[in-house]
Amino acid sequence: MRSAPLVRSRALDELTAFEVGLALRGPGVVLAAAVHGVAMGLVAIVGLGTFRQVGLGAVTPAALGLLEIGLIVPTLVALVLGAAALHGEDEDGVRAALLLSGADLRDIVLAKLLAVVAVGAVVVATGSGVAALLLASSVQAGDLAPFGFIVLVTLLATTASASIGVLISALARDRVQAIVAAIAVWALLAVGIDVVVLLAGSALGAAGPLLVAAAALDPIAAARLAGLIALGADSHVLGSLGTYVSLTLGSGRAMSLLVLVIAAWTVVPVAIAAAAIGRRERS
């Protein structure tokens, strides 16, 4: 007789496979991947001359473009899809049927998250793959290491964005409200908190602990800073927060800390989302 953990593991695998397959068949996946691929390809083409001269492991407008564009599309897609993830079941009763069949609520939420992450990974892989193919003939193999790290933190930030989106989905009343909230949250994370950190750093004399606390508020900014540190950016590019973290901890530890911040933004929101959905189902 199979143990309960094994049965639940198999159920989660089957539910995840179903959700991932359903998500990847959506028309938005192709569109988002195409947009990201074109955007990353254009940045790579524009920067080819620079990359031939100084390599990829240097802070240039082209390298910064790969980092910024690399983060914009996947995180937005993940947030919006995550925000819509839990409302389809509210409309057609699928989640109720799954619960009646014995499915675990945590598995349902986790499967939705993994499906959104899979879509985000396809978008990231498409854009990064196009850029890598264009850069392969113009840069040394050793220069691709910073690019590889940028792809890694982009995947992590996309996963965190998906988790935040699922949390928004769990808290919103309907799909429209969830999507609008997701776009607003993405704008705040992508731009707004950077402005707050900049103003706080100037007003408070770059007070270290407060700036580090600000980094914990934003997984997208944390991914951007980690990428900049990997590129060897100086204080003019890193800003008050990046400079403080890098000088205090060293580049390696600073990047590790920022990766942990992003990971926390993946685990905590989805746990809260599962709890919120659980309370709603019991009420």
Side-chain angles (χ1 to χ4, degrees), residues 108-215:
I108 295 173
V109 175
L110 182 56
K112 282 293 186 182
L113 171 64
L114 293 175
V116 177
V117 170
V119 173
V122 168
V123 174
V124 172
T126 302
S128 302
V130 170
L133 287 174
L134 291 170
L135 295 173
S137 61
S138 302
V139 300
Q140 299 295 321
D143 286 338
L144 292 177
F147 180 70
F149 183 78
I150 288 173
V151 174
L152 173 62
V153 295
T154 300
L155 283 170
L156 292 174
T158 300
T159 303
S161 298
S163 185
I164 295 170
V166 169
L167 174 58
I168 293 172
S169 187
L171 299 177
R173 290 193 304 270
D174 53 50
R175 183 178 295 227
V176 173
Q177 183 188 67
I179 292 175
V180 171
I183 294 173
V185 168
W186 177 83
L188 176 65
L189 295 177
V191 180
I193 291 181
D194 280 352
V195 175
V196 172
V197 169
L198 178 63
L199 294 176
S202 301
L204 301 173
L210 291 176
L211 291 176
V212 172

Side-chain angles (χ1 to χ4, degrees), residues 39-113:
M40 292 288 282
L42 289 175
V43 174
I45 290 172
V46 170
L48 282 178
T50 302
F51 292 138
R52 289 192 186 100
Q53 294 177 3
V54 301
L56 182 59
V59 181
T60 62
L64 294 177
L66 287 177
L67 174 60
E68 294 289 347
I69 298 299
L71 284 169
I72 286 175
V73 177
T75 54
L76 177 58
V77 168
L79 254 166
V80 171
L81 290 183
L86 297 175
H87 284 286
E89 290 88 352
D90 287 343
E91 295 167 4
D92 58 26
V94 173
R95 183 166 65 242
L98 287 171
L99 291 173
L100 286 174
S101 69
D104 190 285
L105 182 60
R106 292 170 296 176
D107 290 347
I108 295 173
V109 175
L110 182 56
K112 282 293 186 182
L113 171 64

